[in-house]
Amino acid sequence: MKVIIDLCVVPMGVGVSVGKYVAECQKVLQEAGLKHQLHAYGTNIEGDWDEVFAAIKCCHERVHAMGAPRITTSIKVGTRTDREQSMQDKFNSVTETQM
């Protein structure tokens, strides 16, 4: 099953700056070959359900390995059965409506 998710991984107990942890999660997504787009408060990811959630698990493992004793993660999940839809398709449907 294909999925589009919005992911926000927040390491806790590591101070105010979390950029290096976010960068590590981006690296995990790149290594997994998943299409993703960073935004101001998270990352959109699309791909096969099992591959996406395996990458999220790997993000947690890597962030813990970097010294974060605790992580809180927010995930929004979207799936469709009527047709395939990409992140770009969703973006285009909004921007085309505005024209």
Side-chain angles (χ1 to χ4, degrees):
M1 178 172 22
K2 298 293 183 187
V3 64
I4 297 175
I5 72 163
D6 187 33
L7 175 70
C8 182
V9 176
V10 181
M12 300 173 70
V14 296
V16 177
S17 179
V18 297
K20 70 179 184 179
Y21 303 96
V22 173
E24 188 64 25
C25 285
Q26 294 296 303
K27 186 176 174 184
V28 167
L29 299 174
Q30 289 170 347
E31 290 169 358
L34 293 169
K35 186 168 183 178
H36 60 283
Q37 179 63 50
L38 180 69
H39 58 85
Y41 285 99
T43 304
N44 292 134
I45 309 164
E46 72 178 54
D48 176 77
W49 179 284
D50 292 335
E51 293 173 10
V52 170
F53 280 90
I56 294 170
K57 179 181 179 184
C58 188
C59 285
H60 271 249
E61 291 168 343
R62 295 253 192 111
V63 171
H64 280 306
M66 293 172 71
R70 187 174 176 190
I71 302 168
T72 183
T73 296
S74 300
I75 302 172
K76 294 182 205 172
V77 179
T79 59
R80 292 190 76 146
T81 59
D82 59 330
R83 67 182 177 100
E84 285 197 24
Q85 185 177 44
S86 68
M87 292 184 298
Q88 189 63 49
D89 293 336
K90 291 175 75 61
F91 178 80
N92 290 348
S93 72
V94 172
T95 56
E96 290 168 0
T97 302
Q98 295 174 345
M99 293 182 180

